[in-house]
Amino acid sequence: MRGLVYTADLSGAEPLSAAARFHDYHLPHIENALNTTDVLTIRFSHAEEKPHRWRVEAIAALARRHAPRRVNGVAPAEELADEEAIAATIAFVDGNEGITGQLILAG
């Protein structure tokens, strides 16, 4: 079964604001999506290295809470996203049953 991709656009927000927006707005939608699929990939907008720390923890917590469903995150490694690399990374995590709870930087 091909999983769903949820886009959590947090572009332009400072780390604390981005985390708040994710938890207040996106998290309820993500939780609802997990009721309809066994595999969910959350596509994030770009962030510098340190803001990725809260994203890593959020993805890991979602994966633990919803096991055996699989939850992963993908974000562009650079400010200008390489859409082909992101699509390939999403396909990779979607198709590999052993991958869950990970945030992967693509491109």
Side-chain angles (χ1 to χ4, degrees):
M1 173 183 182
R2 178 144 172 88
L4 296 176
V5 177
Y6 178 88
T7 299
D9 184 8
L10 305 171
S11 55
E14 295 295 321
L16 288 176
S17 297
R21 187 183 318 163
F22 177 81
H23 286 90
D24 292 343
Y25 178 78
H26 294 290
L27 189 57
H29 297 288
I30 291 166
E31 299 273 5
N32 285 336
L34 283 164
N35 290 325
T36 65
T37 188
D38 289 333
V39 180
L40 180 70
T41 302
I42 301 168
R43 183 197 168 151
F44 287 101
S45 48
H46 173 72
E48 287 101 30
E49 182 60 31
K50 288 185 181 182
H52 282 300
R53 290 179 185 167
W54 72 262
R55 296 174 188 207
V56 168
E57 294 302 323
I59 295 296
L62 281 164
R64 285 190 300 273
R65 178 187 295 168
H66 292 280
R69 293 181 177 100
R70 295 189 301 117
V71 182
N72 290 292
V74 174
E78 303 292 331
E79 190 169 349
L80 293 174
D82 179 342
E83 294 300 326
E84 288 182 19
I86 290 172
T89 304
I90 289 171
F92 175 77
V93 298
D94 184 75
N96 285 277
E97 294 180 13
I99 301 175
T100 191
Q102 304 299 309
L103 175 64
I104 301 173
L105 303 182

